[in-house]
Amino acid sequence: MKNLNKHYFNPFFSHIYVETAVLGHPFTRRILAKFPAAEIIEIRHYKDVFCRSHQSSALQHRSQKLILAAKQGTLVYEGAPVCQSFGNRYFYYTSCAMNCIFDCAYCYLKGMYPSANIVIFVNLEDIFAEVAQILRMHPLYLCVSYDTDLPALESIAGYVREWCAFAGKHADLKLEIRTKCADPALFARETPSPNVIYAFTLSPQAVIDAFEHHTPSLAKRLSCAAALLQAGCAVRLCFDPMIYVKGWERHYETMLAQVYDRIDMDKIVDVSVGTFRISQDYLKNMRRQETKSAVVWFPFQCERGYCHYPDALMEEMEAFLTGRLAGRIPEEKIFRWDMETTEHGKA
Amino acid sequence: MIYIFTALYCEAHALIRRLQLVKNQKTTRLQEFYNEQSGIRLTITGVGEIAAAVAVSSICTAYPPAEDDLMLNIGTCAYTRSAGAPQTRVFEDGEGVFLCNQIFEQATGRSFYPDMLYRHPFREASIVTGRMPWNADAGGASDNDIGHAGAGVDGNGYGGKTSGDAKLFHVRNDMLYDMEAAGVYQAGVHFFGPHQMIFLKIVSDFGTADGVSPGQVERLMEMHGDALLTFIGQLLERMTDERQRDTSPEAELADKLCRDLHCSKTMEASLKQHLHYLALAGADVCLLIQNLYKEGIVPCRDKREGKLRLEELKQTLF
């Protein structure tokens, strides 16, 4: 018998919603076996739960539920203009999971999805088939951890391992796995693969403390990145999004010192730099949900459907970081998002 | 505020007494009971989905709920079992209260999902809302006119379909069955989010509703009264905790500043946006506003001066 005491909320994944069609899928069985105490609720379609109206993602983040479903329709998408392609011509992304166990106050997922519950699509084989089909036409740069943090879900889904194995069989496929995760056990087992890039999103510790709830510290992320580099894996550092806080220069300066102390910058694939920007519609949703979050209530400048820091501040922040990085890494390896053209320009 | 809806007075009696609710004498259409101090409003909806939806809609229109209010549907229900199965008691005392995690509307096959956010001491189950009482011996909801006859539970746990209606929901074994929950949810969704709606059901029978008297229902509710009250009390406690965190002392000062800057609606929105951000970012907004008065920057003579002062102020904020 559970009790409602001072800890008002159910534990994470106390309830798992499963589409009837995937009840027997091997991944479903594997995931459910990890949660023997969870209430399993059979549903017809994941949208019956995920797309209900007037959900509170802020409250749901205090007791996230898991939804296991089959992804249908288009499974692989062309990269969005607000995302960096890092000079890759065929830039695509896929979502084998939606939402994240981390709770970053500025995360666009809060504006994009109607729910904070996590959906894992168990029909990974269908996504692999579609990727293989595209690979028959041209090479592919594929981001698999955009609408979630796949490594953070690894103990539940095990999809990083599946993707790495798939990439190992397709030389024309370049994978980006973006994460704030820093689980040494997860990364210790990885063998270097030239076409898998581990992209670590880095922020000053002050920003992590204020806005990146439940995420590992900067020191832990750097340790992980350093261990992967040591093992010969490809590592990208993403200083994106840069978040404005009072005294941001000092915080970002301190962060860079920590980065240089832990990371051999000569071995880094590349770095990305960009200040926080977001679709106006997403920001509207986020403000409705996150009434107490400074990061989404900043008085942004809005143009052409996107909101960003005022031009002068945006330029100052990005120039500051790219300037500091330029001395430590070749300029052609520094990618800076270009607001004017929504192209993926270099600094 | 917690809005409680029950179908019958006998389901509400124990709550009315224990929560010290008083009758609202000003209304005649619905029986309403409230306690302003504890923030509870209980309404007797009458039996059936339509009556329940009408009551929810009527009450929530008269007393519009706030974003952190909750809605509880509390009442008795049947527990579905195979036709002919022994109707022995399966629940120990205190275990007959269920929190519904899935609501099906029998007539349409539609499903609804209240969020399962809060810890609770109850068991959980799916509930089916039908138009007629559940009759286990007749194999389900026993009204031939609505085409449900025979849509009971077969040996595999799925109802035999006799109506030819593709949408008809097939009642399974070990589900709850009532006549209001789906109506309450569908009306409630116009006023509450799924995180605000909670459905608590107490099993009164196993498909023999005709044999359950109002007195028995009252005794049943009384028996589970402590558990229900503890749960409601803790929901109220959480709401109080959240509200205390939400108080913003700078709101009144910001309004005064807007007046003294002669703000238009647009200027007011812009100023409040900046002040709200600063407050969230940890700045002492009250002190900042008080300094503006000390330095004689406000009050302004007119809107033109106010606009200038506002722009100067915004420039100094970051």
Side-chain angles (χ1 to χ4, degrees), chain B residues 145-157:
Chain B
D145 292 340
I146 58 169
H148 289 183
V153 183
D154 65 19
N156 298 320

Side-chain angles (χ1 to χ4, degrees), chain B residues 279-304:
Chain B
L280 294 174
D284 188 341
V285 172
C286 294
L287 186 68
L288 190 144
I289 296 175
Q290 282 159 3
N291 284 343
L292 293 176
Y293 283 94
K294 256 188 217 165
E295 291 162 20
I297 295 170
V298 278
C300 298
R301 279 191 307 275
D302 53 22
K303 190 169 146 188
R304 180 191 296 250

Side-chain angles (χ1 to χ4, degrees), chain A residues 60-71:
Chain A
Q60 287 174 342
H61 257 293
R62 295 160 85 164
S63 175
Q64 278 179 304
K65 312 302 180 202
L66 195 57
I67 303 170
L68 305 180
K71 191 169 174 65

Side-chain angles (χ1 to χ4, degrees), chain A residues 111-142:
Chain A
M112 188 167 83
Y113 292 138
S115 171
N117 293 329
I118 294 178
V119 181
I120 296 179
F121 294 112
V122 294
N123 57 330
L124 201 54
E125 68 279 3
D126 293 335
I127 299 177
F128 286 165
E130 193 163 312
V131 172
Q133 198 175 5
I134 296 171
L135 283 170
R136 279 196 279 275
M137 294 182 281
H138 53 70
L140 196 59
Y141 168 63
L142 184 68

Side-chain angles (χ1 to χ4, degrees), chain B residues 30-82:
Chain B
L30 294 163
Q31 287 191 78
E32 257 181 75
F33 302 85
Y34 66 95
N35 183 332
E36 288 293 350
Q37 204 178 355
S38 57
I40 291 177
R41 184 172 296 280
L42 185 148
T43 306
I44 315 289
T45 66
V47 175
E49 267 194 89
I50 292 174
V54 167
V56 170
S57 177
S58 171
I59 291 295
C60 294
T61 303
Y63 314 101
E67 281 184 7
D68 53 355
D69 286 344
L70 293 173
M71 186 200 76
L72 263 70
N73 176 213
I74 300 177
T76 52
C77 67
Y79 191 86
T80 66
R81 297 166 63 84
S82 306

